[in-house]
């Protein structure tokens, strides 16, 4: 049986779940008792082939606490039940099953059960995501990555790398996802199903971060492989991936061509979910082209196909909202687009599609002369893009927004706006990397001030080998640094007048006249010449930084708690913690009047805390963040 289960696991890793179902059912035909090792593998095969109802029946027929089973089989059964409970939305049951899996693995022989540990962490990450507990999901993913590194190499690692990549994408970490997908591609057969899927997933990850040329190559390769070995819905799905890449690259005409090819490959096959996705992507491409009437017609088809689906992922629902509002924008109905989009502006805040939705909100707000809503929306999109590396489509129609973002008081927003403008200029995104640690001395520039150094003019794209190995591409924007004398670098200085990119040697001039200076590079704060180290007050530093970035509008109680870390707004002592934090900041600044309390307009306006207008401040930050 041990040899049989080894072979079954190898076949499962080779995407042969359907064969496993057929073979195992034939082996168990006529038997009253199912061997535990076979039953848990049949359960997994049912789930992986989409026969979830059959998987539920089998899981229910097996013992609830099989004390006589091998600990690894017990753990595997608990993991499968946790996956089914997660699918059914029964989070409490899923958590209980994961606890049972953990206990079973603790009883297993030392050095065994690595595959089960990996699946347990992956399932835990999926559950935490379903519960919107992102930090816990990130921790589970890191544990899964750690276990995966300890497993022996082999073709089965393709499926592991793909699962890790899917989780990273759902956690809005496209660079890590691209690395995992590239690792899967390296281990896949050149013209096999796994290789086809890996090419498609690499394409989506790279397209989302602005590496359009390489994304297009991978998507086209997936289409070619599908035409040879996977005609039908898989071929259509590969063309849909190409359409997604072309939409991200701001090439809606090319996206429509890919969608035409997808419909031709799909033919008369049912595939309701894929047809829904194809219709939504066609609607978006038509809206981007300004073909309003055609976009409205396809939006109606998309809504009809959505109504026929039992369940859709939350991100797909958000995608439909973004597509609907973008279509209304194309139809010159900005007010209607805002009515649909605004309630969803802060849902799934880290998702790629939410950034695009906020840009639609910002453009429509400008169309109705609502400057404040436009500013807030574009800053939300920029912060998400800067944090995760996203490069959103509709860049040329949003150029006015990015010019507005350059005047923001938040250096992260300014940095992202510079990045998008570089994409518009060069066609690809510059990688946001720290400057090289050392380099040969270069000729210093002429002795004059450079208050604003333009963004890089050339970019490079990482190879798949670099992605798989986790090696960052060479940043040709280092040309900016080559303009500087040895030992000097570029920094951002934020003052009440905005954000400026300057050389480190010009910092004194850039901060001249400031009575409050916060240096995030050295972690020092200076008030009226008095210097205070923030090393022992590291919990307060991010809050002070946010107060300076949002000096004009201030921070709400929820934003203060999020900036400071620790318990959030839902904690029992949230109001008390806000008062304590503000009191500590006032003590740190040495002036109770430095932070003032204001209230938003309206009956239900929120209380905000902001820096007093009379405080002349300067915030020093590095040009790049890790």
């Amino acid at each position: 049986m041990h040899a049989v289960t080894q072979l079954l696991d190898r076949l499962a890793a080779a995407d042969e779940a359907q064969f496993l179902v057929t073979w195992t059912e034939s082996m168990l035909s006529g038997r009253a008792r199912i061997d535990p090792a076979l039953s848990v593998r049949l359960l997994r095969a049912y789930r992986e082939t989409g026969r979830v109802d059959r998987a539920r029946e089998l899981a229910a027929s097996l013992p609830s606490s099989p004390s006589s089973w091998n600990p690894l089989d017990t753990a595997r059964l608990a993991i499968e039940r946790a996956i089914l409970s997660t699918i059914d939305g029964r989070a409490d049951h899923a958590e209980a099953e994961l606890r049972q899996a953990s206990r079973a693995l603790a009883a297993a022989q030392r050095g065994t059960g690595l595959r089960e540990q990996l699946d347990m962490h992956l399932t835990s990450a999926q559950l935490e995501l379903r519960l919107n507990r992102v930090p816990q999901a990130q921790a589970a993913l890191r544990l899964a990555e750690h276990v995966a590194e300890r497993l022996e190499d082999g073709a089965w690692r393709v499926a592991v790398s793909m699962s890790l990549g899917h989780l990273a994408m759902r956690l809005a970490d496209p660079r890590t996802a691209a690395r995992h997908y590239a690792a899967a591609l390296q281990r896949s057969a050149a013209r096999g199903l796994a290789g086809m899927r890996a090419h498609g997933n690499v394409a989506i990850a790279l397209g989302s971060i602005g590496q359009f040329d390489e994304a297009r190559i991978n998507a086209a390769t997936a289409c070619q492989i599908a035409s040879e070995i996977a005609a039908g819905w898989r071929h259509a799905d590969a063309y849909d991936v190409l359409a997604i890449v072309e939409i991200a690259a701001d090439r809606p005409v090319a996206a429509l061509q890919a969608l035409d090819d997808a419909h031709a490959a799909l033919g008369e096959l049912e595939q309701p979910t894929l047809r829904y996705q194809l219709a939504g992507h066609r609607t978006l491409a038509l809206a981007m082209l300004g073909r309003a009437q055609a976009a409205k017609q396809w939006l109606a088809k998309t809504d009809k196909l959505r109504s026929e689906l039992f369940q859709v992922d939350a991100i797909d629902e958000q995608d439909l909202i973004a597509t609907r509002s973008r279509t209304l924008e194309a139809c010159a109905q900005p007010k209607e687009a805002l009515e649909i989009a605004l309630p969803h502006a802060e849902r799934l805040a880290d998702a790629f599609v939410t950034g695009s939705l906020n840009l639609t909100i910002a453009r429509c707000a400008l169309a109705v002369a609502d400057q404040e809503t436009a500013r807030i929306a574009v800053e939300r999109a920029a912060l998400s893009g800067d944090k995760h590396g996203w490069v959103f489509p509709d860049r040329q129609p949003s150029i006015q927004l990015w010019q507005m973002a350059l005047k923001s008081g938040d250096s992260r927003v300014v940095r992202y706006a510079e990045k998008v403008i570089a994409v518009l200029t060069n066609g690809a995104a510059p990688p946001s990397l720290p400057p090289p640690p050392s380099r040969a001395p270069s000729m210093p520039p002429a002795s004059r001030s450079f208050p604003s150094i333009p963004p890089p003019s050339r970019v490079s794209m990482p190879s798949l080998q670099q992605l798989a190995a986790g090696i960052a591409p060479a940043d040709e924007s280092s040309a900016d640094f080559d303009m500087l004398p040895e030992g000097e670098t570029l920094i951002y200085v934020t003052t009440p007048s905005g954000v400026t990119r300057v050389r480190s040697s010009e910092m004194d001039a850039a901060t001249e006249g400031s009575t409050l200076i916060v240096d995030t590079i050295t972690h020092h704060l200076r008030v009226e010449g008095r210097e205070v180290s923030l090393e022992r007050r590291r919990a307060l530093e991010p809050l002070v930084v946010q107060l300076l970035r949002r000096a004009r509008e201030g921070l709400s109680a929820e934003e203060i708690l999020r900036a400071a870390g620790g318990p959030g707004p839902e904690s029992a002592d949230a109001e008390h913690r806000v008062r304590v934090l503000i009191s500590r900041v006032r003590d740190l600044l040495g002036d109770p009047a430095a932070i003032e309390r204001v209230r938003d307009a309206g009956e239900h306006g929120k209380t905000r805390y902001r820096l007093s207008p009379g405080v002349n401040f300067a915030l020093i930050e590095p040009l790049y963040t890790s």
Side-chain angles (χ1 to χ4, degrees), residues 365-434:
L366 280 185
V368 297
D370 186 348
Q371 294 280 338
E372 183 62 14
T373 297
R375 181 192 65 78
I376 293 171
V378 73
E379 289 195 352
R380 274 198 297 256
L383 290 172
S384 175
D386 183 66
K387 180 179 179 181
H388 303 292
W390 303 129
V391 176
F392 304 113
D394 273 327
R395 288 176 289 281
Q396 191 60 52
S398 304
I399 187 63
Q400 186 178 354
L401 300 176
W402 299 123
Q403 295 291 349
M404 177 194 303
L406 289 175
K407 302 173 184 176
S408 170
D410 192 326
S411 64
R412 298 168 299 174
V413 174
V414 173
R415 177 171 54 230
Y416 186 77
E418 291 176 345
K419 177 178 180 176
V420 174
I421 291 170
V423 175
L424 280 166
T425 304
N426 308 301
S432 295
L433 299 171

Side-chain angles (χ1 to χ4, degrees), residues 43-73:
L43 177 55
R44 179 179 63 193
Y46 278 144
R47 175 179 55 80
E48 290 179 345
T49 54
R51 299 170 66 177
V52 178
D53 290 338
R54 189 70 187 93
R56 291 191 187 98
E57 293 174 9
L58 178 56
S61 70
L62 296 172
S64 58
S65 298
S67 57
S68 62
W69 282 26
N70 179 301
L72 297 185
D73 291 334

Side-chain angles (χ1 to χ4, degrees), residues 256-536:
L256 289 175
Q257 179 59 58
L259 292 166
D260 288 341
D261 293 337
H263 278 105
L266 191 58
E268 299 301 320
L269 295 174
E270 288 288 333
Q271 293 298 323
T273 300
L274 180 56
R275 288 193 180 277
Y276 162 67
Q277 292 169 343
L278 292 172
H281 295 150
R282 183 178 290 275
T283 304
L284 180 56
L286 289 167
M288 290 172 69
L289 284 169
R291 294 170 57 181
Q293 191 59 38
K296 286 179 68 175
Q297 292 172 352
W298 273 96
L299 179 61
K301 293 180 182 179
T302 304
D303 286 332
K304 182 177 184 299
L305 289 167
R306 169 64 189 93
S307 67
E308 295 169 359
L309 296 177
F310 173 71
Q311 188 175 13
V312 171
D313 186 86
I315 289 181
D316 287 335
E317 291 283 19
Q318 185 84 330
D319 197 7
L320 180 57
I321 294 294
T323 300
R324 188 175 290 128
S325 58
R326 183 67 181 88
T327 302
L328 288 170
E329 180 193 7
C331 296
Q333 297 177 275
K335 290 183 179 179
E336 291 80 355
L338 286 171
E339 288 176 6
I340 288 174
L342 280 172
H344 301 266
E346 295 185 77
R347 297 178 186 174
L348 301 174
D350 295 314
F352 179 90
V353 66
T354 305
S356 295
L357 176 67
N358 273 298
L359 290 177
T360 300
I361 290 172
R363 291 192 300 270
C364 291
L366 280 185
V368 297
D370 186 348
Q371 294 280 338
E372 183 62 14
T373 297
R375 181 192 65 78
I376 293 171
V378 73
E379 289 195 352
R380 274 198 297 256
L383 290 172
S384 175
D386 183 66
K387 180 179 179 181
H388 303 292
W390 303 129
V391 176
F392 304 113
D394 273 327
R395 288 176 289 281
Q396 191 60 52
S398 304
I399 187 63
Q400 186 178 354
L401 300 176
W402 299 123
Q403 295 291 349
M404 177 194 303
L406 289 175
K407 302 173 184 176
S408 170
D410 192 326
S411 64
R412 298 168 299 174
V413 174
V414 173
R415 177 171 54 230
Y416 186 77
E418 291 176 345
K419 177 178 180 176
V420 174
I421 291 170
V423 175
L424 280 166
T425 304
N426 308 301
S432 295
L433 299 171
S438 62
R439 54 178 171 78
S442 59
M443 185 67 67
S447 57
R448 60 187 178 88
S449 175
F450 290 91
S452 179
I453 297 178
S457 59
R458 294 180 295 140
V459 297
S460 61
M461 292 186 295
S463 67
L464 285 177
Q465 290 75 15
Q466 286 176 316
L467 284 170
I471 299 172
D475 184 0
E476 294 191 28
S477 66
S478 61
D480 285 353
F481 296 95
D482 291 336
M483 297 169 57
L484 305 173
E486 185 67 26
E488 200 169 358
T489 187
L490 301 176
I491 58 173
Y492 280 124
V493 175
T494 305
T495 64
S497 59
V499 180
T500 308
R501 187 193 289 200
V502 302
R503 296 183 294 182
S504 54
S505 62
E506 300 173 329
M507 183 170 64
D508 290 341
T511 60
E512 186 177 2
S514 300
T515 55
L516 168 63
I517 300 175
V518 176
D519 190 334
T520 64
I521 301 173
T522 62
H523 304 292
H524 279 80
L525 177 147
R526 290 190 291 277
V527 183
E528 300 286 358
R530 174 176 61 91
E531 187 165 305
V532 179
S533 174
L534 292 172
E535 288 292 342
R536 295 183 180 180

Side-chain angles (χ1 to χ4, degrees), residues 93-349:
H93 288 78
E95 289 180 322
E97 293 292 349
L98 286 172
R99 286 194 294 269
Q100 180 163 331
S102 180
R103 288 193 296 268
L105 287 174
Q109 185 179 349
R110 187 177 179 84
T112 63
L114 288 178
R115 290 293 302 274
E116 285 75 16
Q117 286 184 37
L118 175 64
D119 287 342
M120 182 180 70
H121 293 315
L122 290 173
T123 305
S124 177
Q126 295 278 11
L127 175 61
E128 298 294 0
L129 270 173
R130 181 66 67 92
L131 296 172
N132 200 29
R133 299 195 298 227
V134 175
Q136 292 89 333
Q138 291 170 331
L141 176 58
R142 286 193 293 271
L143 287 171
E145 290 173 331
H146 176 66
V147 173
E149 290 173 357
R150 296 162 56 196
L151 294 170
E152 73 276 7
D153 203 357
W156 62 268
R157 289 187 68 124
V158 171
V160 172
S161 295
M162 294 284 273
S163 296
L164 292 171
H166 295 335
L167 271 174
M169 280 299 286
R170 290 193 63 194
L171 285 166
D173 188 356
R175 295 186 183 94
T176 297
R179 176 166 57 83
H180 286 305
Y181 290 143
L185 184 56
Q186 283 193 324
R187 290 186 171 92
S188 302
R191 314 303 287 182
L193 281 174
M196 179 194 74
R197 285 196 295 268
H199 274 296
N201 287 319
V202 168
I204 290 175
L206 292 180
S208 71
I209 58 176
Q211 306 296 346
F212 307 123
D213 291 340
E214 189 154 343
R216 189 175 297 112
I217 291 169
N218 279 278
T221 304
C223 293
Q224 184 180 359
I225 296 172
S227 69
E228 297 170 1
I229 67 169
W233 74 268
R234 291 184 188 273
H235 195 188
D237 188 59
Y239 276 119
D240 189 38
V241 168
L242 179 58
I244 291 170
V245 170
E246 297 295 13
I247 286 172
D250 270 345
R251 299 195 343 155
V253 173
L256 289 175
Q257 179 59 58
L259 292 166
D260 288 341
D261 293 337
H263 278 105
L266 191 58
E268 299 301 320
L269 295 174
E270 288 288 333
Q271 293 298 323
T273 300
L274 180 56
R275 288 193 180 277
Y276 162 67
Q277 292 169 343
L278 292 172
H281 295 150
R282 183 178 290 275
T283 304
L284 180 56
L286 289 167
M288 290 172 69
L289 284 169
R291 294 170 57 181
Q293 191 59 38
K296 286 179 68 175
Q297 292 172 352
W298 273 96
L299 179 61
K301 293 180 182 179
T302 304
D303 286 332
K304 182 177 184 299
L305 289 167
R306 169 64 189 93
S307 67
E308 295 169 359
L309 296 177
F310 173 71
Q311 188 175 13
V312 171
D313 186 86
I315 289 181
D316 287 335
E317 291 283 19
Q318 185 84 330
D319 197 7
L320 180 57
I321 294 294
T323 300
R324 188 175 290 128
S325 58
R326 183 67 181 88
T327 302
L328 288 170
E329 180 193 7
C331 296
Q333 297 177 275
K335 290 183 179 179
E336 291 80 355
L338 286 171
E339 288 176 6
I340 288 174
L342 280 172
H344 301 266
E346 295 185 77
R347 297 178 186 174
L348 301 174

